[in-house]
Amino acid sequence: MAEERFDLIVIGGGPGGYVAAIRAAQLGMKTALVEREHLGGICLNWGCIPTKALLRSAEVYHLMQHADAFGLSAEKVAFDPQKVVKRSRGVAQQLQNGVRHLMRKNKVTVFDGHGRLAGAGKVAVTKDDKAVATLAAASIILATGARARSVPGLEPDGKLVWTYKEAMVPDRMPKSLLVVGSGAIGIEFASFYRTMGAEVTVVEMLDRVLPVEDEEISAFARKAFEKQGMKILTGAQVKGLKKAADSVTATIAAGGKTVEVTAERVISAVGIVGNVENIGLEGTKVVVDRTHVVIDQWCATGEKGVYAIGDLAGPPWLAHKAMHEAVLCVERIAGVKGVHPMDVTKIPGCTYCAPQVASVGLTEKRAKELGHEVRVGRFPFIGNGKAIALGETEGLAKTVFDAKTGELLGAHLIGPEVTELIQGYTIARTLEATEAELMATTFPHPTISEVMHEAVLDAYGRTLHF
């Protein structure tokens, strides 16, 4: 089999991989992309995108159930689970086709198969255990992503105990659900199934839900979820599962006591592990730490010419982080001037539950731990005219500033469409804006975004509408 030469080979066609391939092609590099399953990766096919389609269905269903509050009438409100899932899968397929189009448009050569390192500057591609191609390039980017973590006693079986994949394509809506893990994945599924009518119990090992968020936002979220009827157990651990024909009984230790919870289905959302197996790392200088490849600020591994990006390279496990790494990594390889290392404190995090949660930068607690004297501003959505008009007044915007310099250290939001609003604060962090620039910025009225302005004003005792 003849060896095919490229300037860059990317292994993995998820958000990091396909963006890396596009940027490399834009810079004039002859680029190959190897993908063993679906272009777009987990994010596009089984994560970010299809879950948002499911959550949109839940949002519309919720609004239909509360039509009377808007002076409307909707009788016999119901849903068809198969159609809900079909729409979600259709959205994913449309975007997968879009990525394929982008590969053609940018003249990226796509290899359908499993890629693995096969010596210095070489990649072997196989499909169904048969050799497909041998590729060579001076630079290789590993973007193989990650998969759901499986813990002893909570192993997914595809029927009663689900990962995100089974949770996305249920044959029917379960009447009761136990969600283990309250990070973004667990809470989004908990929110979806609760809105669709399931009795939902969430188990979190740490002392609060959404543990990476600001403590005040986590507490607000818990109250909102419990108001919706979710049962939440924090500081809790699943000690065992007993399976019946169509249900599971979990033994849960919490607060020095043991309780049993029976549910039709269990979703395991206890983290992810990097896909480091069978990609040819053996015999290389690539270092793996707790299933993730160790990289430097330019995404380079210990092996010359080999780079790693995205979930494979560790937290934060976000598609937009992978895309950002893809661009900086490729531009560094290509010798583009002015490339900056990634600052994770300028990467926003979003959770698309109801109410939505979004944040960027340091939490109040973390800012204090780092020695900052802080000024904190807060503004509730109940004080916002647009939120009242929308009937979406449950929420809070919180800002954290350095009291001495006025630097915006962090921003934390919970409420309607805050996953869209957070980008305003992200730009402010990127531009190193201070309270002066933010207070001097004109926000359009009436918009939900005004809560962002008011939260800044409040940090300096100047809030206007509350």
Side-chain angles (χ1 to χ4, degrees):
M1 184 177 296
E3 182 178 279
E4 298 185 59
R5 294 202 62 82
F6 295 88
D7 297 315
L8 175 71
I9 301 167
V10 183
I11 302 178
Y18 81 72
V19 167
I22 290 172
R23 185 66 186 122
Q26 289 174 342
L27 291 170
M29 302 172 75
K30 184 181 178 183
T31 306
L33 176 69
V34 184
E35 171 54 49
R36 68 182 180 185
E37 194 170 4
H38 303 300
L39 285 173
I42 294 297
C43 171
L44 192 153
N45 293 280
W46 294 101
C48 318
I49 301 300
T51 54
K52 303 312 158 286
L54 292 177
L55 287 161
R56 176 59 173 165
S57 292
E59 180 184 15
V60 173
Y61 180 56
H62 174 78
L63 287 172
M64 291 172 67
Q65 289 178 308
H66 295 83
D68 185 64
F70 299 90
L72 306 174
S73 177
E75 297 180 359
K76 296 182 180 179
V77 175
F79 63 88
D80 183 331
Q82 292 184 341
K83 287 184 178 179
V84 170
V85 171
K86 183 178 179 181
R87 178 178 181 275
S88 172
R89 301 316 306 156
V91 169
Q93 185 61 56
Q94 179 180 341
L95 287 170
Q96 184 192 130
N97 292 340
V99 173
R100 194 168 294 280
H101 165 72
L102 289 172
M103 295 299 99
R104 290 194 297 268
K105 175 184 174 183
N106 289 280
K107 297 182 173 53
V108 174
T109 304
V110 178
F111 291 87
D112 179 20
H114 180 89
R116 59 174 288 137
L117 301 177
K122 298 195 177 175
V123 171
V125 183
T126 58
K127 180 76 171 178
D128 299 326
D129 295 323
K130 295 180 182 177
V132 172
T134 300
L135 315 179
S139 301
I140 300 168
I141 295 178
L142 304 175
T144 55
R147 62 187 184 277
R149 180 186 298 277
S150 178
V151 299
L154 200 60
E155 295 88 354
D157 59 18
K159 181 187 175 185
L160 297 174
V161 182
W162 293 346
T163 65
Y164 56 84
K165 279 194 175 183
E166 292 83 17
M168 226 170 292
V169 289
D171 54 355
R172 64 177 179 83
M173 290 291 177
K175 293 180 181 178
S176 55
L177 182 72
L178 175 66
V179 179
V180 184
S182 74
I185 294 173
I187 284 296
E188 285 183 10
F189 279 121
S191 189
F192 169 72
Y193 280 101
R194 179 67 197 124
T195 302
M196 303 307 278
E199 292 297 321
V200 175
T201 301
V202 177
V203 176
E204 170 57 53
M205 187 168 62
L206 298 178
D207 62 354
R208 56 195 176 93
V209 296
L210 297 172
V212 302
E213 300 294 342
D214 184 88
E215 290 184 5
E216 194 171 348
I217 299 299
S218 289
F220 193 111
R222 177 171 185 155
K223 287 181 181 178
F225 299 150
E226 290 178 333
K227 184 179 175 183
Q228 295 166 16
M230 279 191 211
K231 296 175 184 175
I232 297 177
L233 300 173
T234 52
Q237 194 168 5
V238 176
K239 291 297 186 180
L241 297 178
K242 187 159 80 174
K243 299 179 182 179
D246 200 35
S247 66
V248 179
T249 298
T251 301
I252 302 168
K257 299 179 181 179
T258 300
V259 297
E260 288 192 341
V261 175
T262 299
E264 289 189 0
R265 297 293 181 268
V266 175
I267 295 178
S268 176
V270 290
I272 63 174
V273 293
N275 291 322
V276 294
E277 304 87 355
N278 196 29
I279 56 174
L281 300 184
E282 305 80 7
T284 71
K285 294 180 180 178
V286 174
V287 176
V288 176
D289 179 22
R290 289 170 290 181
T291 80
H292 297 285
V293 171
V294 176
I295 59 173
D296 68 10
Q297 62 181 340
W298 306 114
C299 304
T301 71
E303 182 75 11
K304 183 179 179 181
V306 177
Y307 303 80
I309 61 175
D311 288 356
L312 178 69
W317 294 295
L318 302 167
H320 45 284
K321 172 256 195 182
M323 294 179 183
H324 190 98
E325 279 183 325
V327 173
L328 79 85
C329 179
V330 168
E331 290 184 347
R332 180 72 173 181
I333 291 170
V336 174
K337 293 187 189 220
V339 182
H340 298 285
M342 185 176 66
D343 179 352
V344 295
T345 72
K346 294 174 182 173
I347 297 176
C350 299
T351 305
Y352 300 81
C353 46
Q356 293 181 4
V357 176
S359 61
V360 66
L362 304 177
T363 65
E364 180 182 356
K365 180 180 179 182
R366 184 59 181 153
K368 290 177 179 177
E369 288 173 347
L370 291 174
H372 293 279
E373 181 185 342
V374 301
R375 296 187 72 126
V376 177
R378 300 172 180 84
F379 193 81
F381 277 64
I382 190 65
N384 178 265
K386 180 68 178 293
I388 294 171
L390 290 175
E392 299 281 356
T393 58
E394 187 175 48
L396 174 72
K398 178 177 180 179
T399 53
V400 182
F401 290 91
D402 184 289
K404 295 179 180 178
T405 67
E407 178 188 358
L408 176 66
L409 299 174
H412 312 275
L413 303 110
I414 181 168
E417 300 306 325
V418 297
T419 56
E420 300 290 342
L421 298 183
I422 194 62
Q423 190 57 20
Y425 284 132
T426 303
I427 292 171
R429 286 274 302 146
T430 300
L431 297 179
E432 299 180 346
T434 67
E435 91 290 356
E437 287 93 359
L438 291 170
M439 286 195 286
T441 300
T442 300
F443 284 71
H445 174 81
T447 62
I448 296 176
S449 68
E450 289 173 277
V451 303
M452 300 168 63
H453 194 212
E454 294 277 10
V456 173
L457 294 172
D458 183 61
Y460 291 85
R462 292 176 51 181
T463 187
L464 297 169
H465 290 95
F466 196 78

